[in-house]
Amino acid sequence: MFHQLGRLGHMSAAPLDSSEHRSGPLLDHLARRMRLRSESVLSPLGLRPRHLVALTVLRDGGGTSQQALASTLAMDGTNIVGLLNDLESMQLIERRRSPEDRRRHVVELTDDGAKRLNEAECALASAENEVLGALEPDEREKLYLLLRRAATGTTITCEAVILEDTSPVDSR
Amino acid sequence: MFHQLGRLGHMSAAPLDSSEHRSGPLLDHLARRMRLRSESVLSPLGLRPRHLVALTVLRDGGGTSQQALASTLAMDGTNIVGLLNDLESMQLIERRRSPEDRRRHVVELTDDGAKRLNEAECALASAENEVLGALEPDEREKLYLLLRRAATGTTITCEAVILEDTSPVDSR
DNA sequence: ATAAATAGTTGGTGCTTCACATACGATCCC
DNA sequence: GGGATCGTATGTGAAGCACCAACTATTTAT
């Protein structure tokens, strides 16, 4: 599945991009399988995939405004509100008013949130082992680094500027 | 974003898996960004992300039964029916009764389907360039190979057996 | 001082993508 | 003949969103 059979379907004479392969369908497919496999370990922790992504961003990126989080996750602000309401009601994050601009909240992981995220990641070892089972450990590490490069690299744009610009936890 | 800040949130003393990092949230995040970026080029072609994944499987894997396709895509058979109805109505696939078992359909890409898939992949070059823009071309190739290994490797299980077992286009 | 803009919230509609269930017809196997 | 299989149609329900309007509180510009 997904392996090239001599590109039988490649009818066009027009040359493709230098990298003819498309990672898009593969990303979709693997993300879906990972999600399916993860649900059974996330539900006991009261978490859903969206929660996990948000918690990961907050742990790795530190406190952030809701707008910055919306931008990072490419989600509408009103949907971020609902997502954060879920996490706040579970005491996994807290919102505090920014002393610099009291319209704004700074959203941060709580100790419980960090712990829960850690538990989730431990629990997800089995999902990763299954979904990425064909890869050697060094290949999994390489995959992780490439995915992270791709994920963080593109925020070295206006998104990163917004994030840096609004982050109140920086010593200023 | 997603880069490690000294694992500040890593409270547990219990050692994680040998690869401490989780690719799951990154796969989710990148798949979502790829999907968002892809929609504007897929809609003019009358395609949605699910269509693209299915067409890719059919091109790369050749003719297959609906059951095998359902298994490969980890989807319920009744939802595969709807998906294939869409593609059939656009003349991108055709269903033919298997001569070996007339309960079963063999689903294959049509010439139009192969062409449309190719057009979609050309059009998606811009999405890949944007979402994977932080990676060098050789890194994109490496990412593709790892994703494909992960995607195809885990089907060397009962899924692959089902696929091989039910594929009527093999010389038997 | 006032108006405009911003950050966040609430409540809502609507769409897509599924899981899952039931019932059915046609076909295959025992 | 009966049970199992393959696929189809129809349906419900949930999750994950986009998008909208209206609102409060706060900041910024005039």
Side-chain angles (χ1 to χ4, degrees), chain A residues 48-50 74-76 78-79 99-103:
Chain A
R48 294 207 294 272
R50 277 281 101 208
M75 272 176 74
D76 186 77
T78 56
N79 297 322
E100 293 155 11
D101 184 339
R102 288 183 290 116
R103 292 173 294 184

Side-chain angles (χ1 to χ4, degrees), chain A residues 34-94:
Chain A
M34 191 72 81
R35 215 179 302 121
L36 284 172
R37 196 46 199 80
S38 300
E39 271 168 24
S40 60
V41 296
L42 290 181
S43 329
L45 295 170
L47 295 176
R48 294 207 294 272
R50 277 281 101 208
H51 295 149
L52 194 66
V53 177
L55 291 174
T56 304
V57 169
L58 291 170
R59 180 193 58 198
D60 296 348
T64 185
S65 70
Q66 294 187 196
Q67 265 195 353
L69 187 62
S71 179
T72 298
L73 296 178
M75 272 176 74
D76 186 77
T78 56
N79 297 322
I80 290 290
V81 169
L83 181 63
L84 293 179
N85 285 348
D86 286 349
L87 294 174
E88 193 176 47
S89 72
M90 294 187 274
Q91 276 100 43
L92 303 182
I93 62 146
E94 72 179 339

Side-chain angles (χ1 to χ4, degrees), chain A residues 10-172:
Chain A
H10 188 8
M11 312 294 279
S12 172
L16 293 177
D17 200 48
S18 64
S19 171
E20 285 196 14
H21 311 301
R22 290 288 168 259
S23 295
L26 289 168
L27 279 170
D28 248 359
H29 183 65
L30 285 169
R32 176 182 154 72
R33 275 164 53 187
M34 191 72 81
R35 215 179 302 121
L36 284 172
R37 196 46 199 80
S38 300
E39 271 168 24
S40 60
V41 296
L42 290 181
S43 329
L45 295 170
L47 295 176
R48 294 207 294 272
R50 277 281 101 208
H51 295 149
L52 194 66
V53 177
L55 291 174
T56 304
V57 169
L58 291 170
R59 180 193 58 198
D60 296 348
T64 185
S65 70
Q66 294 187 196
Q67 265 195 353
L69 187 62
S71 179
T72 298
L73 296 178
M75 272 176 74
D76 186 77
T78 56
N79 297 322
I80 290 290
V81 169
L83 181 63
L84 293 179
N85 285 348
D86 286 349
L87 294 174
E88 193 176 47
S89 72
M90 294 187 274
Q91 276 100 43
L92 303 182
I93 62 146
E94 72 179 339
R95 281 150 152 143
R96 285 196 273 97
R97 289 291 175 187
S98 168
E100 293 155 11
D101 184 339
R102 288 183 290 116
R103 292 173 294 184
R104 193 189 295 158
H105 282 126
V106 177
V107 186
E108 285 180 312
L109 219 54
T110 59
D111 287 344
D112 281 346
K115 192 172 172 183
R116 183 78 59 92
L117 179 55
N118 201 39
E119 286 169 6
E121 289 187 331
C122 288
L124 288 170
S126 58
E128 299 246 334
N129 283 342
E130 178 170 317
V131 176
L132 302 179
L135 301 181
E136 302 292 334
D138 65 305
E139 292 179 314
R140 292 189 202 182
E141 183 68 12
K142 181 66 178 177
L143 175 65
Y144 172 81
L145 292 173
L146 288 171
L147 292 172
R148 205 184 68 181
R149 280 275 307 283
T152 53
T154 43
T155 56
I156 302 173
T157 53
C158 59
E159 287 175 2
V161 170
I162 290 168
L163 187 58
E164 289 172 2
D165 207 33
T166 55
S167 174
V169 297
D170 288 347
S171 53
R172 295 172 69 156

Side-chain angles (χ1 to χ4, degrees), chain B residues 116-156:
Chain B
R116 184 75 61 91
L117 178 55
N118 201 40
E119 286 169 8
E121 289 187 331
C122 288
L124 287 170
S126 59
E128 300 245 335
N129 283 341
E130 178 170 319
V131 176
L132 303 178
L135 301 180
E136 302 293 333
D138 65 306
E139 291 179 315
R140 291 191 202 181
E141 182 69 11
K142 181 66 178 178
L143 176 65
Y144 172 80
L145 292 172
L146 288 170
L147 291 172
R148 205 185 68 182
R149 281 275 308 283
T152 54
T154 42
T155 56
I156 304 173

